[in-house]
Amino acid sequence: MTRGTTGHNRLRRSDRWIATVYGPLLRSAALPAGGPPPLVVDLGYGASHVTTHELFTRLRRVCRTVEVAGVEIDPARVAAAKPYEREGLSFARGGFELPVARPPLLVRAFNVLRQYGEDEAWEHWATLRARIAPDGVVVEGTCSEVGHRAVWAALGAEGPRTITFAARFTGFERPSSLAERLPKTLIHRNVPGEPVHAFLADWDRAWATCAPLAGFGARQRWIAAAGLLARDWPVTTAPPTGGPARWRLGELTLPWPAVAPRGTAHGG
Ligand SMILES: C[S@@+](CC[C@H](N)C(=O)[O-])C[C@H]1O[C@@H](n2cnc3c(N)ncnc32)[C@H](O)[C@@H]1O
């Protein structure tokens, strides 16, 4: 049991990313007339229902019929959220087994796996991947208290797909400051010899090289550093996850295999 820390707009950055990147998936699932509406689970929503409600509101803007179910292991938190249920938004007690009526198309789990061990985190990833719809996705990540620094992975049934770094431009010193928000499956791998460590070091170098652009604002510096980094790393440079339109929001996405832990069953 944890304190269940959460808060308004804490997950705004990942909500925005999910709506853009996976909105089309939700909409395509909503198409067959008479079929069940696309289902999204917010796992481990915390001491208040607010982030689940925000996810619901933001996803309804991109998919009119989407349903969101908040799932929490703590019964008191479920009882506290129940009064906020409405059409399309529900709350239930449960865990990684996901106690919902049909396989969700999308599972969002933020700041949940921090309290588990590295091996457990991999197991829970596998459990969630086995529970989603065949073309579904799990977005699992971690962020700072108010959400100014965040890192999340997107996993398909087949395995991890992408990793995304996101920051408020005034919320960090250098890109490697985001290391403290790495998913549990990676955070212990930020050591010399591991790809994620090399990646963050190169990103810091690109950031330093682009320092002269700071006069035009941190956004311009971020965009330039992302372009520079893309020469050596498979940073996504095209929509929906990459390119200047995403970089200008303080995001950077790359394929998971680029940072996968080395020399383990899970890595390259
Ligand atoms: C720090 S809060 C995160 C709240 C919210 N997702 C956020 O990021 O602001 C973590 C929550 O995960 C819940 N939790 C931990 N393990 C869980 C599990 N196996 N299944 C469901 N919820 C779990 C805890 O009870 C806690 O409320």
Side-chain angles (χ1 to χ4, degrees):
M1 215 65 94
T2 64
R3 281 184 303 141
T5 308
T6 188
H8 279 291
N9 274 330
R10 184 187 199 198
L11 306 183
R12 187 176 65 87
R13 288 172 191 280
S14 56
D15 282 353
R16 180 172 62 187
W17 187 87
I18 289 170
T20 302
V21 177
Y22 288 105
L25 174 74
L26 298 174
R27 279 196 298 276
S28 69
L31 277 181
L39 177 64
V40 171
V41 168
D42 186 19
L43 181 66
Y45 57 83
S48 144
H49 70 290
V50 290
T51 54
T52 312
H53 182 261
E54 288 168 352
L55 180 66
F56 172 69
T57 309
R58 288 164 182 155
L59 292 185
R60 275 268 160 131
R61 280 187 213 131
V62 297
C63 178
R64 220 168 27 83
T65 57
V66 71
E67 293 187 350
V68 175
V71 172
E72 242 296 333
I73 206 160
D74 180 341
R77 291 172 190 165
V78 179
K82 278 275 183 193
Y84 298 94
E85 286 190 335
R86 50 185 278 193
E87 182 276 315
L89 177 65
S90 60
F91 297 93
R93 180 168 185 223
F96 300 112
E97 79 290 354
L98 305 182
V100 285
R102 57 188 184 280
L105 201 53
L106 196 145
V107 176
R108 188 270 291 280
F110 244 81
N111 300 301
V112 176
L113 291 186
R114 282 317 281 269
Q115 64 185 99
Y116 295 88
E118 185 181 355
D119 288 342
E120 284 176 309
W122 280 104
E123 282 165 31
H124 297 322
W125 269 17
T127 304
L128 292 173
R129 284 170 35 220
R131 294 281 190 278
I132 52 176
D135 52 347
V137 62
V138 178
V139 178
E140 192 277 313
T142 305
C143 68
S144 56
E145 194 103 349
V146 289
H148 290 179
R149 292 186 303 279
V151 184
W152 59 86
L155 329 166
E158 75 287 357
R161 288 179 187 163
T162 54
I163 182 163
T164 299
F165 298 81
R168 184 186 172 106
F169 291 118
T170 52
F172 67 98
E173 213 175 300
R174 58 179 70 87
S176 63
S177 311
L178 291 169
E180 65 189 31
R181 299 297 154 190
L182 284 169
K184 194 69 185 197
T185 51
L186 267 192
I187 196 160
H188 303 295
R189 303 292 163 168
N190 187 27
V191 290
E194 287 286 351
V196 70
H197 186 267
F199 169 73
L200 289 171
D202 281 357
W203 195 0
D204 277 353
R205 246 189 308 277
W207 181 250
T209 303
C210 295
L213 284 167
F216 298 100
R219 171 171 288 126
Q220 295 309 319
R221 187 177 177 184
W222 180 282
I223 293 170
L228 196 56
L229 198 57
R231 293 185 191 170
D232 297 320
W233 289 87
V235 169
T236 315
T237 54
T241 55
R246 299 311 302 180
W247 299 340
R248 67 182 306 284
L249 302 173
E251 280 178 20
L252 188 102
T253 294
L254 67 166
W256 174 268
V259 293
R262 218 169 242 163
T264 70
H266 311 295

